[in-house]
Amino acid sequence: MFRYFLGFQVAADRAGWLARQLPPVSGDLFAGLKPQLYHMTLCTIAETIEPQPFLSGQVAKAFAAGLPPASAIPFGTIVARDTGVELVTAGRIGGIRQAYDAIIARLATQGIDPMHRKSGLRPHITLGYGRAADFDPVPLAWTWTPRDLVLIESHVGHRRHRVLQRWTLDAPPQASFDFMADDLPTPMLRAA
């Protein structure tokens, strides 16, 4: 099966850094993702048995009038879930929700509806799949401002992603140092 989704791909230098933050994970059924596959999915737009060569053209038409600007995403902890290990957000995510809503509205102009979003947007970056035994949460304060929106074709079950299209996002409307400062991590503060 082929899955087509829109999201933000983590740049190679940041993906390598993020992979080094993940401690060794025990568990026979756990498999870490290759850092080049790290991304934050916004929405799945199609799942099909056959490849869809015309879908990228439809998405491009939806974005012809432009995209919303980038928004900073505050991440805070690497946690184990039932299906894997992921980096989850901390704090306010209103900016990314606004960007998501604007992207969905543009897709609707071409009759493209997101799938699997009954519970709304839950921003996270998956770092590995499967059960992680004895995994303690890892604090990681990192504010990331994606620079590109990507359309990815995923060959489900084979962990192969192919970027079909990429759109550069404008900088956030208000001054944001982290957009220009290479998205460096924020040091964690410890209580005395």
Side-chain angles (χ1 to χ4, degrees):
M1 178 166 61
F2 294 89
R3 178 175 293 142
Y4 296 87
F5 62 88
L6 289 164
F8 303 122
Q9 192 170 33
V10 180
D13 62 334
R14 293 290 88 201
W17 170 82
L18 186 54
R20 290 187 296 277
Q21 307 312 304
L22 181 64
V25 180
S26 61
D28 294 339
L29 301 176
F30 181 80
L33 278 177
K34 294 176 183 173
Q36 63 265 29
L37 298 180
Y38 289 174
H39 65 275
M40 190 191 96
T41 300
L42 286 175
C43 62
T44 298
I45 59 173
E47 291 180 339
T48 63
I49 300 299
E50 299 291 328
Q52 299 295 306
F54 301 108
L55 185 61
S56 61
Q58 267 187 287
V59 175
K61 283 181 189 176
F63 298 151
L67 285 166
S71 177
I73 305 167
F75 288 101
T77 311
I78 298 173
V79 298
R81 303 270 192 210
D82 288 340
T83 58
V85 173
E86 56 190 45
L87 176 61
V88 297
T89 56
R92 297 180 183 187
I93 58 169
I96 191 63
R97 285 191 189 282
Q98 288 176 345
Y100 169 78
D101 289 341
I103 288 168
I104 297 305
R106 285 167 175 79
L107 291 171
T109 66
Q110 295 299 310
I112 301 171
D113 293 320
M115 304 170 72
H116 314 300
R117 283 282 183 231
K118 294 182 178 105
S119 61
L121 180 66
R122 189 180 66 83
H124 68 280
I125 297 173
T126 300
L127 305 176
Y129 290 105
R131 289 212 176 266
D134 302 323
F135 187 89
D136 292 325
V138 177
L140 180 68
W142 175 45
T143 300
W144 177 45
T145 304
R147 292 181 171 92
D148 298 310
L149 176 68
V150 293
L151 172 61
I152 294 177
E153 177 187 74
S154 170
H155 197 181
V156 178
H158 297 279
R159 294 193 182 146
R160 285 194 300 242
H161 291 172
R162 185 167 67 118
V163 174
L164 299 178
Q165 220 155 349
R166 178 181 307 272
W167 297 269
T168 301
L169 300 169
D170 290 337
Q174 296 179 358
S176 178
F177 292 110
D178 66 343
F179 189 80
M180 301 308 229
D182 199 31
D183 300 314
L184 296 175
T186 304
M188 292 297 296
L189 300 176
R190 295 187 181 186

